[in-house]
Amino acid sequence: MSDKIRVLIVDDVAATRENIVKLMQFQPGIEAVGHAQNGEEAILQAKALRPDVVLMDINMPGMDGITATERLTVEVPGTTIVIMSVQGEQEYLRRAMMAGAKNYLTKPFTGDELIQAIQQSASRDRQIRDAMRLKSGVKTPGKVISIFAGKGGVGKTMLTVNLAVALAKRPETRVAIVDADIQFGDIPLFLNLMPRSTIADVLPDAEHLDDKTLAAYMTPYSEALHVLAAPLRPEQAETVSGHLLGAVVKQLRNSYDFILVDTAAIFNEVSIAALDASDSILVLTALDLPAVKNAKLALEILQSLGYADDKLQLVVNSVHTDGGIEPREVQESLKKELAITLPMDGKTVVNSINQGVPLMLAQPESLLAQKIAALAAKVAPVIADAAASAGKPGLRFKLFGR
């Protein structure tokens, strides 16, 4: 992951936001990842972007900066908040610190003062988190999320890639994608990657896998996101067994916080091995009769295989408003509550695929990207750990349904 300090700017004055963004463009160690004009927008942006630092103005219409700070401290733990305000009185400072802010800047401040406050606040929190991790000496195994569908063409790979990117945006989080559609996997295409190895190449090392050995077969997309590609040719799929896939996923738990598995739209040895290894299974469907019918069959089979109901999360893709089947009807037909509905945005999705740039990066402000970020928060919410509950920064991840 990049060592840059990722900053979200929150101020109702557009000129202030723009000036801060321009200032950061000259700071190689700091990156402005987003901006918001009020407290409500700040919370949504912070949940999606997981910035290291939030620069928060106090006086804003609607939800003010103090209230937003109180909520962010609870809902986005691990994010450092620096308050900006024209009020320099001791009472405002006290309220800001009580709300959870780590620093306080009185307007007008110089560029040097702002940069110093960002660097000092982020550095202090990182040192505390590192010390807490070293002191605990505990490493939680990575969580496995499989994305499954009863038929192809419903957006399974699109969802896998963008959900992985959303999770990889979190601080100090490593994510792996395993392309388990071993005949026709397209994960590298969606990320504009040329894989250096595939899962088929792992076979000679299958009986003596370790972290270092498996790392050599992973193709990096970024420091935080790596890919284990499907075989390059369909005929090579015969060499990939369920045993191999299970061994790979088990080993990846040691090195990654999240492992996302893009399965084939079929119940075979490999896909069942992936589902068996999963902590959570997202069952994806669309709003057409064949997709809903196959989703119903898929859920029945999954339940007959013994997967707990709370392990199965139903996701509807391409929600539209021009007639046809409604999400409510899908929920009633499948007798399963929807985890989330994803809006139709064909142009954004097609452009993203053709450019090989995930829409979470190309169009993070789109409604579809925001919905996928919300799904990431639902299936793998960030919650405060014991240290954070005692007033110390810290993070841990809890998988939905575990």
Side-chain angles (χ1 to χ4, degrees), residues 3-153:
D3 288 329
K4 284 187 176 182
I5 301 170
R6 304 171 70 254
V7 180
L8 172 66
I9 304 160
V10 186
D11 198 299
D12 60 322
V13 179
T16 299
R17 300 195 302 270
E18 292 168 3
N19 289 336
I20 294 175
V21 169
K22 290 177 182 177
L23 174 65
M24 291 182 183
Q25 290 172 349
F26 297 95
Q27 300 295 323
I30 300 176
E31 177 185 11
V33 295
H35 53 81
Q37 58 185 345
N38 55 53
E40 293 91 344
E41 189 176 336
I43 292 170
L44 291 175
Q45 291 274 18
K47 287 181 176 180
L49 299 171
R50 299 287 163 176
D52 298 307
V53 175
V54 176
L55 293 178
M56 180 77 71
D57 187 29
I58 282 187
N59 297 319
M60 295 181 292
M63 184 186 295
D64 63 26
I66 296 292
T67 305
T69 297
E70 291 174 338
R71 289 203 34 197
L72 286 175
T73 301
V74 174
E75 297 178 29
V76 193
T79 294
T80 300
I81 301 170
V82 177
I83 290 288
M84 307 179 294
S85 177
V86 293
Q87 284 91 9
E89 291 83 2
Q90 191 70 23
E91 175 60 19
Y92 281 94
L93 175 60
R94 187 191 66 82
R95 289 178 57 202
M97 297 302 147
M98 288 291 292
K102 298 297 170 60
N103 213 328
Y104 192 103
L105 286 171
T106 303
K107 296 179 179 179
F109 42 76
T110 67
D112 288 341
E113 289 173 338
L114 176 63
I115 297 303
Q116 185 178 38
I118 292 171
Q119 291 173 334
Q120 288 179 345
S121 300
S123 175
R124 183 167 57 248
D125 274 12
R126 284 178 175 176
Q127 288 172 358
I128 294 172
R129 286 197 297 269
D130 289 344
M132 291 296 295
R133 278 198 305 275
L134 289 173
K135 185 176 181 180
S136 68
V138 176
K139 177 170 176 55
T140 304
K143 304 301 183 180
V144 180
I145 305 170
S146 283
I147 294 82
F148 185 81
K151 69 182 293 292

Side-chain angles (χ1 to χ4, degrees), residues 148-343:
F148 185 81
K151 69 182 293 292
V154 296
K156 181 167 53 62
T157 300
M158 180 279 296
L159 179 59
T160 302
V161 166
N162 284 284
L163 190 59
V165 171
L167 292 171
K169 285 183 174 183
R170 295 180 178 180
E172 302 170 11
T173 302
R174 283 167 53 83
V175 179
I177 301 177
V178 177
D179 196 341
D181 188 349
I182 56 174
Q183 283 193 311
F184 298 103
D186 285 326
I187 292 290
L189 185 68
F190 278 59
L191 292 168
N192 194 25
L193 281 179
M194 182 63 68
R196 59 191 184 190
S197 303
T198 76
I199 192 171
D201 298 315
V202 182
L203 185 59
D205 292 313
E207 299 305 320
H208 47 87
L209 275 180
D210 57 31
D211 296 348
K212 185 175 180 181
T213 301
L214 190 52
Y217 296 104
M218 305 296 291
T219 300
Y221 177 72
S222 67
E223 289 188 51
L225 177 59
H226 297 172
V227 173
L228 183 57
L232 299 179
R233 299 285 304 173
E235 58 268 23
Q236 295 174 321
E238 296 179 2
T239 66
V240 181
S241 65
H243 175 74
L244 175 61
L245 190 282
V248 164
V249 171
K250 181 179 180 181
Q251 193 65 45
L252 288 173
R253 285 180 180 268
N254 293 334
S255 303
Y256 295 89
D257 299 289
F258 298 103
I259 301 95
L260 272 67
V261 185
D262 185 17
T263 65
I266 187 173
F267 286 101
N268 59 17
E269 178 192 1
V270 173
S271 62
I272 289 176
L275 299 174
D276 283 345
S278 300
D279 298 288
S280 186
I281 301 168
L282 303 183
V283 180
L284 187 63
T285 187
L287 292 178
D288 60 75
L289 282 176
V292 174
K293 184 265 291 183
N294 286 359
K296 185 177 180 66
L297 290 173
L299 284 171
E300 290 174 354
I301 293 172
L302 289 166
Q303 289 163 350
S304 72
L305 290 172
Y307 299 120
D309 189 62
D310 63 356
K311 184 176 179 176
L312 309 175
Q313 310 303 323
L314 184 61
V315 178
V316 171
N317 191 21
S318 298
V319 174
H320 49 74
T321 57
D322 55 356
I325 303 174
E326 296 295 327
R328 173 183 51 79
E329 296 175 286
V330 175
Q331 184 169 278
E332 293 173 354
S333 174
L334 302 186
K335 297 180 174 60
K336 178 75 174 172
E337 184 179 351
L338 299 180
I340 203 163
T341 57
L342 303 179

Side-chain angles (χ1 to χ4, degrees), residues 341-356:
T341 57
L342 303 179
M344 177 176 286
D345 194 346
K347 183 178 180 180
T348 297
V349 171
V350 171
N351 287 341
S352 167
I353 295 170
N354 288 342
Q355 295 170 11

